[in-house]
Every structure is written in C-alpha cells, then in structure tokens.
Amino acid sequence: MSGRARAKARGVYRGEGTLEQPGSPRATLGTGNQFFPEQPTSRDRKGYSGSSGPLALESGRDDGSSHTRAGNSPPKCKFGFSAGSAGYKVMDRGGKIRCNFSDMGVNTREKMEHVRDSKTGSSGIPVKVVTNLFGLSMPREWQLYQYHVKFNPELESKRLKAALVYNHPVFKGKPVVFDGVSTLFLAHKQENEVTELFCETQRGETVKIIITLTHQLQSSSPVSIQFLNVTFKKVLKKLSMHQIGQNFYSPSDPVEIPQHKLTLWPGFAVSVGQYENRVMVCADVSHKVLRNESVLEFMTSLYQNVDRARFPEMCEKELVGLIVLTRYNNKTYRIDDIEWSVKATDSFEKRDGTQITYEQYYKQQYDLVLTDLNQPMLVSELKKGRNIDKPRVVHLVPELCYMTGLSSRAKSNFHLMKDLAQEMHLSPETRHQRLSRLADNIQRNKDARLELENWDCSLDARLPLARLTSLQCILIFILFFVCSVQVPDSPLAFVRVLQQNVNPEQQLVLCVLPSDQKDCYDSVKKFVSLEQPIPSQCVLARTLSKQRMMMSVATKMALQIACKLGGELWAVEIPLKSLMVVGIDVNKDAVAKGTSVVGFVASTNASITRWYSHCVIQKAGTMTADCLKVCMEGAINKWQTCNGELPARVIVYRDGIGNGQLRMVVDYEVPQLLSVLNECSGGFRRPKLSVVIVRKQTLCRFFTEANRNLQNPPVGTVIDTEATRPEWYDFFLISQNARQGSVNPTYYNVIYDDNGLKPDHMQRLTYKLCHLYFNWTGLIRVPAPCQYASKLTFLVGQSIHREPSLELADKLYYL
C-alpha cells in the first residue's frame, strides 16, 4: 500500500419437548459427586427450535448473526445470500461475520463539503509503515452475478431444489452458491438474461428451472463484500481452523500454561472490506483463553467452600453471564440461567418422536459417558430472529462445558497475567511473521487457494506499506493535595459511620477498606452518590501497608482527590475558542438485565479541564442513547452558567458503538443533539456541531520499519488514507505507547460536521484530548471525555445501579 497515512449446542427442544441433535461432543471431565440439590427452584422447561439443511436466506437485522426460527418459518441453513436492494443479508451459520455490513450503506462523507474531495491532512512528517491489510487481487471488471430462480411446478423442499440446481450439468463443477429458495450467485454471466433449464426428479417428474438475472454486483457492493467474507470463512476452514464466535482458531496447536491451568488456542480474526482504493483482507492474530476446568468441577469446588443453603444462589451469581466452550463442537455459549430441575437422566423428544435421556443421547451419539447424573443443566438463550415469540434456549451439560476467559481473581494475579502476556502480547515482528505465514498457508493449500480462484480472486502475500505523520503535544502540570480518613471494619459499619458523620459541609470522604470485598465498596459508593452526595476516595488497607510504594500511592491518591474536589491537574493548548467537547458512552448494567447505563460528560471551560457529568439509566437494554436531549440541555445550561454565553462549537465523541449501529447514531442520536442546539439558540446562530464515532476495537495494525525489523509507530501517528473507507471521513490515531506487544490504534469516524474544521485540526484536537485524562499522567487511547464517560458508566453499572445525584455533576467523583 502506498500513499499518505498520517501520524449452541444444536441440541434444542422444539415446542414443549422435542430435541434436535445437541451437537458433536468430544472429551469430558468431571467428578462423580452427587451434590446438587434435587429441586431448589421450580422452572418450566424452555422451548427450543432448530433446523437443518445446507443453505438459508434470511431477511431482517444486518448484524451477521444466525437466529433460530420458530413457527412455520423455513429452517435455518448453512449459508445464505441475497442482493442488497431486497433488504436481505449474506449469512453464514457458523457465527458472526466481523465486517459491519449494515454500516457499509451509510455514506456520511458526501454531505460534508469540506472533506468531499480530500479528507487527508497536510502537516506532519511522513513515515512508511506496514499494515496488516492484504490485497485481494481480482480482475478490474470483476462482478458477482445474482439470479432469481423459479421452479415449475413449484417445489416445497429446499433440499430438493438445491439438489436439482447443484447437480444440473450447466452448473456442475462451476462456482455456484444457491440459497435453496430462489437466489443464485454465479461467478460468470449466463449467455441470456433468462435461462430455462430442465431436469428430472428421482420419481421421474420433469421440472423446469427458470433463472433470471437480477443484479450485476461490483466488488465494492455491500452484498459482494458480504459474499467475499463468507467465502473467506470457507477458506480458513480449508486450513483446518475452527470458528469460535467471530474468529478462527487451531485447537490442534494449543499453547499450554500448566502452572495456571490455562490453554491458549492461537488463531486469527479476518475481515474483507472495501478500503480507499480496493477490496482488501484485514487479518490480525487472536487467542482464545480456555480454563482447563469444566463447569462441573467449578461447581463442585464452590459447593465445598460455601454454605450449602446458599449454594444455588452463589452458583448462579458466579456462572450466569460467563462464556463457556463445548469442546465437542468448538462452540461458545453464554450462560443465562441454571435449570436445577433438569438432570442428565431426564428425557426429551427427538425429531423422529422417540424419547431419549441426555445420558443415553451422548453415549449413543458420541460415545461419551456422563460421570454425574445428578448435575443440573446450564441454559443459554439463542439469539432471537424475527417473528419469534418464545425465547429459544439450549441446555448444556456442565461437565462438557469449559470456562473461557479469566475471572476477576485471575486478572488480579500478577504472575498469571505476566505469563499470559508473554504468549498473547506479540511484538510487531512476531505478529507480522504469523500473518505472513497465514497468507503463505492459503497460497500453498490447494483447496484453500481454489476456494478463492473459483471466484476469480487471489490473496497477495505481502503486507502493504502506508505513510504516517507524528503529532506533538505539550503538557502543563498543576497539582493539588487534599486528604481525609475514615476507618470502619465492615460494610454495615462503613455505612453506619458515614450516616453519623458525613454532612454537606464536608468536602470529601476517604475510606480505608479492610479487604477487596465488593459489597463493602458498593455500599460506600451508593451512600455517597445517592443518600449524601459527596466526593469519596476508597483505598485498600493492604495498599497503604506497602511502605516501599507509599510515595507512589500517596501521589496517586492526591491526584485523584484533587480531581474529585474540582481541581485542574494539567492542561494543553487549545486554539479553538468557545469550544465544548462531549464524551458519550453506553454500557450494560451488571445486575439489572435489559438495562443500559448512558454516561454523558461535557467540558465547561475554555481550557477543557472542568467537566459536567450526567448519567441516565435506560430500561431498554440497547446501546442506543435515548436521553441525549436531556443530557445536552444540562450541559448547555452549565456552560452558560460558567461562561455567560453559548459555546460557539460543540464536538461530540461517541464511544460504545457496536458493529451495525452507525445508521442508528446518524438517524436517531444526531437529531437529538441538533434539536437541543437549535432550541437553545432561540432563533439566532446555533452552536456548530461535530459528532465523531470512537472505536477502540479494530483489526487494523500498523508497524514501522527500523534496522530491518518492525516496531510500533511513534505516539501521535495518524493514518487517514489507504486503510480508511472512501464513504467516510475517518482516520486512525495511535495515542499511546505499548509497553509490551503491538500497539492498538483507535479508529475515528466523523459522521456529522458543520464546524468545517480541516482534517489536520480535527486530528490534532483529538490527539490533544487524549492528554487530558486526570487519572493517568500519560496519554490514553481515547479522548478524555470518552474515558470519563466510560468510568462513570462503570461505577453506576457495577456498584450503584441508580442515577447518581446531580449535586455531584461538576465533580469527577467517579475516578
């Protein structure tokens, strides 16, 4: 690349109790303890539904996920394709496709006249960098041909339809994809736009197949991109890789960390996308962390260490929400519930109407013997499709499920995290070697290479180059020191002492916690955020006992306390006058299911060092912010109070946006913000608005070359061409150093902008804002208001679970 870049077990119940095959189990671990209570709770069995077949076409949400259908809907099948104008999506049953396809239809740049011709900056020092984008070579005139298929007489069976199409001499041996309903994709155009074919069924019935050309899709078409992603998934499967979630892993090449009972599966995250000048494949190294402990073993250990009467409650508290892996089919599931009343000896109805127990099924189908017949069943809710009234869930056997990820206790283990980092945090050189090896393997594997060649595609084995520019920033440090201490000895005692001693005249409460018990911390934060609003500082007693670290601890505490009392620790030069910057983040509440927490943080002074914070809890468990009008009104009023006038410019950084949600922000959130600014201006010139999407999770990586080796780019690197999207005003920014491994760039997408700032100015402002997070003396990955909003939602979603008092709105009390 050249240019300028600047620095479900399928086992499911149907209806009331029929079961479809639970998958393909393999090895099990477990104990033989019969410890589980017989029926501590009474729950109705939840209904399931499943399906089979090679192909499917699905309409509805464009999130790339597969859904279980209900009622009379056609069964879900392996692959499905359709054209964009019909509102359908290309879908693969194996899991989500990483590319945010529904976002591809959102063209925001064309409405911004100042960046319509060019969105690249001009300042800085260009430097060459290597990226993890591989070119996908294809003919210049490459097209994907979509046909509508009609059968005469009409046929009900999708399998029969597919068999007739795939086995017809016209298509045999040629690249063909058919959804089993009416949509056909071909790599080459038929001679006529309407083609009539004839075939015969096994019963001797003659069937006419009418194939009509409906779309000729360019490589940049969203449907073509989706099609290529599905094709590339098939390529990775040809390399004997297994899909888990969104990524592909190699279970046959595990990395064992025996001292911590962990296993790492190496793998890759891959996505095909349309970039500035061509279609490219973005690939990055990924690892799946597995615990060598089954859920049954975990439950056994927990049973032996807690009060028996509280075991069900404690078990659900520990397990619900965790992701587990069923190694027999290499699929991951989220534990949503535990069915204590359903045992391995319970029966279910198979498709053919016969009854079989879970124990018999696993023995008969996969030669697996369950060691504990009294273990309950884990419940995982499958993603809902359209027109489904009942929830679709799957029952999982605890001893066949292995826990993934790390517990909070494991994350606090320094030695474990250090050993894990040595395997997962790859240097730029090592990461580059693994990615190059992936490209080489695709080229050398005949089946994988042929999968691409069938569609006139091939993968470039070289990682391309871009160019970058470094930005610079100067910090001004100002310190405040304030301290006060209260020391109770239990959660109830903490609250009791706070109730007796805290009053509105006090400035801050400092609590020394005897342990890291979360209940104690939560009780303190609830009291000082709700009952008696006052900034607070909590610190563990063992932290204060570390004499060698006392100066560092005291300094850190002093900085946090200064922030919470309204102090300004440091500043950067901001040339723009009368500018208000806003950070928005949305997270889920850890306790209240279906509830989301919206954090809104806005600057209130010209130097962007004082902040107004507002948090709203939404009952709808979506990442959409419904409350932006209320939050923006409060921020504008606070700005007017502090400055005596409206801000001239407002720049909003919106974090917490997932794939496929760009349209929602453009059509739903931006109008909320504009309506407030229009109303507050009273008919006069309203404040100009810019809205920037912030994404910390991106596959793209960038490396510089030095002494024939690769290393991380310098801080301040901006990439605004080649690796960006032509329909968006977007750029990557590297705003922090990586102490170990490869640095992660942050991706910014300006979706609305009537401020008209030059790309140089927008990028430089974003970089400067990464210096203004007062809880860290260096740079951070996102602009400070985004990080403040994230900290606010974390405190509320994890500890308070209610909207904090607005009396604290002008303090950074959540640091």
Side-chain angles (χ1 to χ4, degrees):
M1 186 201 301
S2 63
R4 186 179 175 287
R6 300 178 39 259
K8 308 159 190 161
R10 295 176 193 168
V12 291
Y13 280 115
R14 185 187 296 279
E16 293 300 320
T18 58
L19 177 95
E20 312 231 354
Q21 296 183 1
S24 50
R26 203 59 273 156
T28 84
L29 290 176
T31 67
N33 300 332
Q34 305 291 321
F35 61 82
F36 295 105
E38 288 301 321
Q39 291 190 6
T41 60
S42 176
R43 295 187 179 94
D44 294 332
R45 289 193 184 181
K46 299 180 176 67
Y48 294 94
S49 83
S51 58
S52 61
L55 299 170
L57 175 68
E58 179 183 23
S59 64
R61 295 180 298 175
D62 251 340
D63 59 1
S65 60
S66 57
H67 306 283
T68 304
R69 290 187 180 269
N72 298 321
S73 301
K76 179 74 65 184
C77 310
K78 192 172 183 181
F79 299 103
F81 304 90
S82 79
S85 62
Y88 293 107
K89 65 181 179 182
V90 180
M91 174 276 300
D92 177 22
R93 176 170 168 162
K96 291 182 180 178
I97 302 171
R98 177 174 291 274
C99 188
N100 47 336
F101 298 121
S102 61
D103 290 345
M104 294 174 59
V106 183
N107 191 333
T108 52
R109 182 179 171 189
E110 65 181 2
K111 298 180 180 179
M112 305 178 199
E113 186 174 350
H114 62 294
V115 291
R116 191 176 299 159
D117 296 330
S118 175
K119 62 180 178 182
T120 59
S122 58
S123 64
I125 306 170
V127 182
K128 286 187 176 182
V129 297
V130 176
T131 78
N132 59 339
L133 291 171
F134 297 86
L136 195 59
S137 297
M138 53 181 62
R140 180 172 296 181
E141 66 279 2
W142 188 95
Q143 288 187 325
L144 182 66
Y145 299 94
Q146 180 186 348
Y147 289 82
H148 178 269
V149 182
K150 184 177 180 181
F151 296 85
N152 187 10
E154 288 291 339
L155 301 176
E156 294 295 331
S157 172
K158 294 178 64 176
R159 290 190 178 185
L160 177 57
K161 289 181 180 180
L164 294 177
V165 170
Y166 283 114
N167 292 322
H168 198 281
V170 172
F171 302 124
K172 209 162 186 179
K174 296 181 179 180
V176 177
V177 171
F178 178 53
D179 70 347
V181 181
S182 62
T183 304
L184 175 73
F185 284 93
L186 299 177
H188 302 285
K189 187 178 181 181
Q190 296 292 298
E191 291 184 7
N192 302 314
E193 291 197 2
V194 179
T195 304
E196 293 186 356
L197 305 174
F198 294 89
C199 55
E200 192 173 278
T201 67
Q202 291 182 348
R203 297 179 179 179
E205 299 172 340
T206 300
V207 177
K208 182 167 71 172
I209 306 176
I210 305 172
I211 301 173
T212 305
L213 179 65
T214 56
H215 293 86
Q216 295 182 213
L217 304 167
Q218 303 294 328
S219 61
S220 59
S221 163
V223 173
S224 296
I225 297 298
Q226 292 173 297
F227 181 91
L228 292 170
N229 270 275
V230 172
T231 300
F232 217 91
K233 291 175 65 175
K234 297 165 70 175
V235 169
L236 296 177
K237 290 175 182 177
K238 297 293 185 182
L239 300 179
S240 300
M241 302 184 73
H242 295 271
Q243 185 175 6
I244 301 177
Q246 297 178 340
N247 303 334
F248 285 81
Y249 299 93
S250 299
S252 60
D253 189 25
V255 177
E256 301 292 342
I257 309 179
Q259 65 271 32
H260 303 297
K261 297 181 179 181
L262 295 177
T263 298
L264 291 180
W265 284 359
F268 298 95
V270 179
S271 177
V272 182
Q274 172 66 46
Y275 293 85
E276 289 292 346
N277 300 311
R278 59 187 298 195
V279 176
M280 291 192 282
V281 179
C282 186
D284 196 18
V285 177
S286 178
H287 294 88
K288 193 68 178 179
V289 180
L290 306 176
R291 303 188 219 176
N292 294 332
E293 176 185 36
S294 70
V295 175
L296 181 62
E297 290 174 317
F298 175 82
M299 296 173 83
T300 302
S301 176
L302 184 65
Y303 183 77
Q304 296 170 348
N305 291 283
V306 301
D307 179 47
R308 304 294 169 86
R310 296 189 61 205
F311 171 70
E313 174 191 349
M314 294 298 296
C315 199
E316 292 181 359
K317 184 176 180 180
E318 292 288 336
L319 291 177
V320 171
L322 293 185
I323 304 298
V324 297
L325 173 78
T326 49
R327 291 187 177 179
Y328 49 78
N329 61 355
N330 291 328
K331 292 185 180 294
T332 54
Y333 301 88
R334 182 184 187 273
I335 300 178
D336 295 301
D337 201 355
I338 300 176
E339 283 281 15
W340 299 98
S341 59
V342 180
K343 310 295 182 184
T345 53
D346 286 354
S347 299
F348 56 84
E349 186 176 304
K350 297 172 65 176
R351 285 185 181 178
D352 59 9
T354 60
Q355 294 285 328
I356 190 172
T357 66
Y358 290 97
E359 175 196 15
Q360 293 169 341
Y361 178 83
Y362 280 98
K363 175 61 178 176
Q364 180 185 104
Q365 191 79 10
Y366 311 107
D367 196 26
L368 290 171
V369 179
L370 301 182
T371 62
D372 191 335
L373 302 182
N374 199 37
Q375 59 185 304
M377 291 292 168
L378 307 177
V379 176
S380 179
E381 293 185 7
L382 302 180
K383 294 204 172 192
K384 298 180 180 179
R386 294 172 69 106
N387 302 320
I388 291 183
D389 297 326
K390 295 182 180 179
R392 298 295 181 241
V393 297
V394 59
H395 279 170
L396 305 171
V397 181
E399 71 175 277
L400 301 181
C401 298
Y402 290 81
M403 305 168 77
T404 66
L406 298 174
S407 64
S408 56
R409 181 173 298 180
K411 291 178 181 178
S412 63
N413 185 326
F414 172 78
H415 297 290
L416 183 153
M417 297 304 293
K418 181 180 178 182
D419 293 341
L420 201 59
Q422 291 178 351
E423 300 291 342
M424 295 179 62
H425 295 177
L426 305 180
S427 67
E429 188 67 32
T430 303
R431 188 178 297 272
H432 173 267
Q433 291 172 359
R434 291 198 184 180
L435 294 174
S436 297
R437 195 180 309 140
L438 172 65
D440 291 340
N441 289 341
I442 293 174
Q443 299 281 24
R444 293 172 182 172
N445 187 292
K446 181 180 178 180
D447 293 336
R449 188 177 66 252
L450 186 61
E451 194 70 52
L452 288 175
E453 290 177 352
N454 282 338
W455 299 96
D456 292 336
C457 299
S458 62
L459 185 68
D460 293 344
R462 269 189 318 111
L463 272 70
L465 295 176
R467 296 198 303 176
L468 60 86
T469 294
S470 296
L471 302 175
Q472 295 181 351
C473 199
I474 301 175
L475 291 178
I476 304 172
F477 291 88
I478 307 173
L479 300 181
F480 292 86
F481 295 88
V482 183
C483 196
S484 176
V485 179
Q486 297 274 357
V487 189
D489 57 2
S490 70
L492 289 177
F494 266 103
V495 175
R496 198 175 300 120
V497 170
L498 291 172
Q499 290 172 336
Q500 295 172 352
N501 296 278
V502 174
N503 60 71
E505 297 179 358
Q506 295 169 339
Q507 291 183 294
L508 180 132
V509 172
L510 190 147
C511 298
V512 179
L513 304 178
S515 68
D516 58 358
Q517 182 180 354
K518 187 174 183 297
D519 291 344
C520 185
Y521 176 84
D522 292 351
S523 297
V524 172
K525 290 299 181 180
K526 285 179 181 178
F527 179 83
V528 297
S529 300
L530 303 172
E531 295 183 37
Q532 186 60 261
I534 184 173
S536 64
Q537 179 74 32
C538 294
V539 60
L540 290 174
R542 68 167 179 262
T543 302
L544 297 178
S545 65
K546 298 176 181 179
Q547 296 298 322
R548 295 182 179 179
M549 299 176 60
M550 187 53 65
M551 180 57 70
S552 175
V553 171
T555 302
K556 180 67 173 177
M557 287 177 58
L559 291 174
Q560 284 191 329
I561 290 173
C563 293
K564 293 175 180 180
L565 294 176
E568 306 167 50
L569 302 190
W570 55 77
V572 296
E573 183 182 357
I574 305 292
L576 293 175
K577 304 303 180 184
S578 191
L579 167 67
M580 182 174 82
V581 295
V582 177
I584 302 172
D585 199 4
V586 182
N587 282 305
K588 295 181 180 179
D589 192 287
V591 174
K593 190 174 181 180
T595 299
S596 55
V597 182
V598 180
F600 186 101
V601 177
S603 61
T604 61
N605 63 344
S607 57
I608 312 182
T609 53
R610 290 183 175 271
W611 304 91
Y612 165 86
S613 306
H614 193 172
C615 188
V616 177
I617 295 180
Q618 298 180 163
K619 296 304 179 183
T622 66
M623 305 310 283
T624 307
D626 297 322
C627 55
L628 296 187
K629 202 169 181 183
V630 174
C631 294
M632 181 60 85
E633 285 174 353
I636 291 293
N637 291 336
K638 184 65 177 180
W639 175 276
Q640 285 185 298
T641 301
C642 296
N643 300 277
E645 61 180 359
L646 290 174
R649 303 176 187 266
V650 178
I651 298 181
V652 177
Y653 290 90
R654 173 63 159 98
D655 203 348
I657 290 294
N659 289 343
Q661 296 181 321
L662 189 59
R663 172 67 68 185
M664 174 272 297
V665 178
V666 172
D667 293 345
Y668 185 66
E669 294 190 1
V670 172
Q672 291 185 63
L673 301 173
L674 286 172
S675 67
V676 174
L677 298 182
N678 286 326
E679 290 172 5
C680 71
S681 61
F684 296 95
R685 186 176 181 180
R686 71 162 174 82
K688 296 180 179 180
L689 175 68
S690 300
V691 180
V692 187
I693 300 296
V694 182
R695 281 199 173 122
K696 299 183 287 292
Q697 302 299 325
T698 174
L699 287 186
C700 288
R701 300 289 184 117
F702 305 96
F703 318 111
T704 58
E705 294 181 295
N707 301 321
R708 297 183 179 180
N709 290 321
L710 295 179
Q711 61 186 22
N712 288 317
V715 173
T717 298
V718 174
I719 299 94
D720 59 6
T721 186
E722 299 294 336
T724 52
R725 302 298 177 93
E727 71 273 20
W728 295 338
Y729 172 20
D730 55 347
F731 60 92
F732 293 90
L733 171 63
I734 296 173
S735 57
Q736 63 175 168
N737 281 312
R739 297 181 179 179
Q740 185 177 12
S742 307
V743 69
N744 286 308
T746 302
Y747 180 66
Y748 297 90
N749 185 0
V750 185
I751 62 170
Y752 183 90
D753 184 19
D754 59 18
N755 272 294
L757 296 179
K758 295 180 179 179
D760 275 326
H761 297 161
M762 180 64 77
Q763 294 163 3
R764 190 175 295 274
L765 172 66
T766 301
Y767 179 58
K768 288 186 175 184
L769 292 175
C770 294
H771 293 71
L772 290 175
Y773 181 59
F774 292 154
N775 211 24
W776 179 252
T777 53
L779 285 92
I780 61 174
R781 286 191 61 191
V782 297
C786 286
Q787 189 66 14
Y788 288 134
S790 177
K791 291 287 288 185
L792 176 57
T793 59
F794 182 83
L795 174 66
V796 174
Q798 295 291 326
S799 300
I800 301 176
H801 312 296
R802 288 171 56 191
E803 297 178 8
S805 171
L806 286 177
E807 294 183 32
L808 297 171
D810 61 344
K811 305 288 194 306
L812 297 174
Y813 61 94
Y814 40 83
L815 292 187

